[in-house]
Amino acid sequence: MTGTEASVTRGREGSVAKGPALFDLSGHRALVTGSSKGIGLALAIGLAEAGAEVILNGRNAEALESAREALEECTGTKAHSVAFDVTDEAAVQDAVREIEDRIGTLDILVNNTGVQHREPLLQVPADTFEQVLHTNLTSAFLVGRAVAAGMVERGRGKIVNICSVQTWLARPGIAAYAASKGGLAMLTRGMCAEWAGSGVTVNGLAPGYVITELTRSLVDDPAFDSWIRGRTPAGRWAAVEDLVGTLVWLAAPASDFVNGQVIAVDGGLTSVI
């Protein structure tokens, strides 16, 4: 294959993208759940910088508006915010309908909403376990199904589920979280199995240990910080910006024949023992 041939991708309808167009999201519209701060907001900014029109989501409308203003100031592009609870089936259906009626059809969905719970498994209440599963796994099913209905009808779409290195690895005290992320990987594959034939790609992005507000206590713990740096071949924690390139690739034409995969962005952590 020549270099020119290698730079060309043919989509489901036979369209051709070359060179920079492989990663160009201009004219695409993306919903990012859980994007009022942290990883979700960084991913939303990355999509906007690649040309996408972004819709931010969270439950706190005031926090979402602040995030939207920050995104617009950072990227110079217009964004939207729609507050709704991704674990509420009726709210999800209403919100997706509102977005597509008021803003436009969705080309990209990033299921980023997630919650962590740290407690020995023998002490985790059953309702807490269910809450973690509902927030991290069921929400991706609810939002994914609602958005995919239109994608399947239109014959195109990109869904990226934010998994974790805990998709494959377990640590004491976070069994509920690991179970939810392992389930999310299989939901990703199930979505691929059902929707790939309709032109929808569904993949997972699995971050390693990332510096965020939620992990600050771990970063500031000298013992844990030293363990992470020693356990990770790259020798450092990830910054939220480290995740953006892989997300843009998974959302762009460059990955049109990548489907049902979970891509680790972890500095090599899952490659060594």
Side-chain angles (χ1 to χ4, degrees):
M1 178 180 290
T2 68
T4 300
E5 290 169 334
S7 70
V8 177
T9 181
R10 296 186 181 274
R12 180 172 178 266
E13 302 300 330
S15 59
V16 178
K18 300 181 180 180
L22 287 169
F23 301 93
D24 184 10
L25 298 181
S26 299
H28 293 73
R29 195 170 292 108
L31 169 64
V32 184
T33 69
S35 51
S36 61
K37 61 183 178 180
I39 290 175
L41 180 55
L43 296 179
I45 289 172
L47 292 174
E49 289 177 334
E53 181 181 3
V54 174
I55 299 101
L56 301 176
N57 158 261
R59 290 184 297 181
N60 186 317
E62 185 176 339
L64 271 182
E65 273 302 291
S66 296
R68 182 189 61 77
E69 291 172 1
L71 185 151
E72 290 185 346
E73 182 178 352
C74 177
T75 65
T77 62
K78 179 177 174 57
H80 312 270
S81 63
V82 180
F84 64 95
D85 183 350
V86 295
T87 67
D88 182 326
E89 182 176 5
V92 167
Q93 293 287 345
D94 290 344
V96 171
R97 189 179 305 112
E98 176 198 345
I99 289 169
E100 299 212 319
D101 287 346
R102 179 170 62 87
I103 301 172
T105 56
L106 290 166
D107 307 289
I108 301 162
L109 167 65
V110 181
N111 279 313
N112 172 71
T113 298
V115 65
Q116 176 62 283
H117 181 79
R118 294 184 174 91
E119 189 175 16
L121 191 56
L122 289 176
Q123 300 170 20
V124 176
D127 60 348
T128 299
F129 188 87
E130 290 290 344
Q131 180 187 19
V132 173
L133 290 181
H134 202 58
T135 303
N136 296 356
L137 177 57
T138 306
S139 70
F141 158 69
L142 293 175
V143 183
R145 181 179 62 175
V147 173
M151 291 179 170
V152 167
E153 183 177 340
R154 293 186 294 272
R156 66 184 187 280
K158 298 272 188 170
I159 297 175
V160 182
N161 295 323
I162 304 303
C163 298
S164 167
V165 291
Q166 267 75 48
T167 294
W168 307 287
L169 306 176
R171 294 190 69 252
I174 59 168
Y177 181 83
S180 71
K181 292 300 184 177
L184 187 55
M186 289 310 301
L187 178 62
T188 298
R189 295 180 179 120
M191 288 174 165
C192 164
E194 297 208 13
W195 302 333
S198 298
V200 180
T201 71
V202 189
N203 293 290
L205 190 163
Y209 282 84
V210 185
I211 298 175
T212 68
E213 296 172 15
L214 295 179
T215 60
R216 176 49 59 184
S217 62
L218 299 178
V219 176
D220 292 341
D221 180 335
F224 195 87
D225 176 63
S226 176
W227 180 76
I228 286 295
R229 292 177 184 275
R231 178 70 176 79
T232 305
R236 65 174 178 87
W237 293 70
V240 290
E241 292 78 13
D242 288 317
L243 310 177
V244 170
T246 302
L247 176 67
V248 170
W249 169 60
L250 290 174
S255 63
D256 277 354
F257 206 58
V258 179
N259 219 334
Q261 305 304 305
V262 180
I263 311 298
V265 184
D266 65 355
L269 187 149
T270 53
S271 297
V272 299
I273 59 171

